[in-house]
Amino acid sequence: MLHNRYPMFTKGRILRLDMLEELRDYPRGMMDILYADLSSGIVAGAEIRLEENMLCITPGIVKFAGRLYMLKEEIRQPYHETGVLSVLRLRFHPELRHQDYVDFPAEVVLDGSMADPDSELELARFKLKPGARLRDDYENFADHATEYNTLNRIHTPYASIGNSTFWPGALRYYAEAVLRAGGGQPHDYSFAMQVLGSERPVSRNVIQHYIGLRLGMGYREYDYAHIHKYLNRILNDIQSGSRGRHDYRPGGPQRMLVD
């Protein structure tokens, strides 16, 4: 049976345990149901704002190993000019049991190690040269993966149905660039409209199918670096006015297929 029940706190009524349990369980149960089909990754928020020598992680929701975590307040993480790779990530710790509650703690870590997929989730990476300024104002789609002095988030997993998916911010940038450029193929405009019109991040499978169809390589699994690489290749084709379809199959002839 379905219910929409909430406790009535009125003068003269006895505060019962089941009334408090209703307040405790309803929000958590609602969140678990809404996001049950999502993979690990960022669900909402958790954007990164740059200040001088400070990475500011905005409030948000993250899912990891089937469990939701809420960043209720902005987290400020100092960074330094090291000249080598720095990786900002969330580290999830085993549960801690107290007398009154169970805690699943997580902390923000910034150092030169890659994220451990069993206990960590990457938020960003960068290589900042001494004397340089870390930036997140991208000049074009390719610039999202610039190695030095640029905040790189293309390796950050976002929660999606089935598998974690590509950074929605960069994907929206790509979609808008496709529509501005014109001269693309129907696949390009259909994909761009789906990206810009979707409330949730576009699934990784959709992105990989689009790449396979557009470049004639068929469907394959790609890591985030290759997704960015191939999307950038497609965008360059569109912006250069190429109306054909290149054959980019590994080992295949680099020829133009004319529709």
Side-chain angles (χ1 to χ4, degrees), residues 165-240:
T165 193
F166 189 70
W167 178 23
L171 207 57
R172 286 192 296 270
Y173 192 105
Y174 172 84
E176 291 172 355
V178 166
L179 297 178
R180 287 195 304 269
Q185 298 180 6
H187 290 318
D188 302 320
Y189 301 125
S190 176
F191 179 72
M193 291 298 186
Q194 181 173 358
V195 169
L196 295 177
S198 178
E199 294 183 0
R200 284 188 173 185
V202 174
S203 77
R204 193 167 181 169
N205 284 342
V206 170
I207 300 171
Q208 291 171 158
H209 275 297
Y210 166 65
I211 291 173
L213 288 170
R214 187 56 170 79
L215 297 181
M217 302 188 300
Y219 178 85
R220 298 182 185 182
E221 297 284 342
Y222 300 113
D223 59 23
Y224 295 131
H226 280 88
I227 288 176
H228 178 266
K229 172 185 174 181
Y230 288 130
L231 289 178
N232 189 58
R233 183 176 292 176
I234 296 169
L235 183 58
N236 287 338
D237 284 349
I238 297 172
Q239 293 175 334
S240 67

